[in-house]
Amino acid sequence: MKHKLATAFMLSSILLGFTIGVVHAYPGMQQGTKPVTSTIDLISVLPKAFPIEPAPFNDVDGKAIDFSHYKGKIVMVNVWATWCPPCVRELPAIERLATKFKTEDFALLPISIDADGKQQVQPFLNSLGMANFNSYYDPQQNLGQVFPLDTIPATFILDQNGQLIAFVRSFVDWDDAKAATLIQGFIDKGRVKAN
């Protein structure tokens, strides 16, 4: 009996190893070991830019767009949903963060994955007093072609060429001064490369 239990435990451990954290969508996705003193420290900055395909999503008017529309800017894609309390908690802070940068340098793309799109999201935003919050929509979850969407909130930062340079799959306090410093660093780095 002990032998059967030991064998079962060993087999389950091996299977668990295959399902937890072994396969990664892109470099840097594996668990980090750096100390965390701020939620900004949870953001993984990739060692080099990772090319991604421009998956389509919808603007507020239902028009299909993709990341190529934002070339030349640092793009912060924040995937969220109305049914996700940490996502909703982030929204006012990411909106405030976006105001710290020039629109020619930075684009904030909060993208809702709610199944009913704008019809569900806009009344929800109105109830929060955020009627002017500019959300985008991906009810079909097309972004799942390029980003893992099994955990939200999730934020993916793209460089001026539309390549992934950083990500975080957790709640982040975007009001933290370190957030603005990080984004400004990406903007400055892109300017240096352009010259």
Side-chain angles (χ1 to χ4, degrees):
M1 181 69 171
K2 284 184 181 178
H3 177 68
K4 285 183 181 179
L5 284 174
T7 303
F9 177 74
M10 191 165 81
L11 192 58
S12 66
S13 296
I14 290 168
L15 291 174
L16 191 60
F18 281 114
T19 60
I20 296 177
V22 175
V23 178
H24 305 291
Y26 36 81
M29 202 171 156
Q30 52 276 22
Q31 293 290 346
T33 55
K34 63 183 180 180
V36 175
T37 59
S38 149
T39 56
I40 302 305
D41 297 332
L42 298 172
I43 298 171
S44 295
V45 177
L46 301 180
K48 64 178 191 170
F50 186 80
I52 60 167
E53 294 296 319
F57 54 95
N58 298 327
D59 67 11
V60 71
D61 299 319
K63 180 181 163 198
I65 56 175
D66 63 47
F67 303 130
S68 66
H69 290 82
Y70 301 93
K71 286 253 178 161
K73 300 180 183 192
I74 293 295
V75 177
M76 184 169 135
V77 178
N78 179 266
V79 181
W80 73 283
T82 58
W83 44 263
C84 166
C87 299
V88 175
R89 188 173 154 212
E90 278 188 334
L91 295 181
I94 63 170
E95 185 176 38
R96 287 188 292 271
L97 177 66
T99 65
K100 296 180 181 184
F101 305 102
K102 295 178 183 173
T103 55
E104 60 265 21
D105 293 331
F106 180 75
L108 169 65
L109 303 179
I111 303 176
S112 161
I113 59 170
D114 285 285
D116 292 328
K118 181 181 176 180
Q119 292 73 24
Q120 181 177 359
V121 172
Q122 199 56 54
F124 178 79
L125 291 172
N126 292 347
S127 74
L128 296 176
M130 297 181 68
N132 295 325
F133 185 79
N134 187 27
S135 186
Y136 296 82
Y137 304 94
D138 184 22
Q140 296 82 23
Q141 296 190 20
N142 291 321
L143 292 176
Q145 298 170 29
V146 291
F147 301 134
L149 299 181
D150 58 322
T151 300
I152 59 171
T155 302
F156 304 92
I157 302 173
L158 311 179
D159 68 8
Q160 288 90 338
N161 297 311
Q163 297 186 46
L164 183 68
I165 54 174
F167 70 93
V168 60
R169 295 172 7 120
S170 172
F171 169 82
V172 171
D173 175 10
W174 296 105
D175 282 326
D176 187 324
K178 290 173 105 174
T181 300
L182 180 72
I183 298 296
Q184 188 61 55
F186 291 143
I187 292 169
D188 294 344
K189 186 176 181 181
R191 283 186 188 142
V192 169
K193 282 185 178 179
N195 292 333

